Amino acid sequence: DMIVLAGEIVASIGAAGAAKDSAVVAARAHELKGMSGNFGLAELSRISAELEAAAQKQDMSAVAGLLPN
């Protein structure tokens, strides 16, 4: 189920963000970006792209700013 998978990806991004693991954040954000884009969820895809870019730059403060509290 895609909703369950999306929830797992979001949880993984949150855990990786807390652990300051930029590689995992980037990989999982990329996965979420593609999945959300395929389902027409433009805002989620945009945020995922921002997360991916910030993580690729290893800008963990930007990553933290994009994650829910």
Side-chain angles (χ1 to χ4, degrees):
D1 178 85
M2 287 299 158
I3 294 173
V4 172
L5 178 58
E8 291 170 359
I9 293 170
V10 169
S12 176
I13 290 171
K20 308 268 191 258
D21 189 337
S22 61
V24 171
V25 172
R28 299 308 311 254
H30 179 81
E31 187 178 358
L32 186 59
K33 177 182 72 175
M35 183 177 14
S36 58
N38 287 338
F39 286 97
L41 303 170
E43 185 66 9
L44 181 56
S45 184
R46 181 192 64 75
I47 293 168
S48 299
E50 286 184 35
L51 266 172
E52 180 184 14
Q56 287 173 338
K57 294 176 190 170
Q58 298 184 348
D59 184 351
M60 296 310 286
S61 63
V63 167
L66 291 164
L67 296 175
N69 295 333

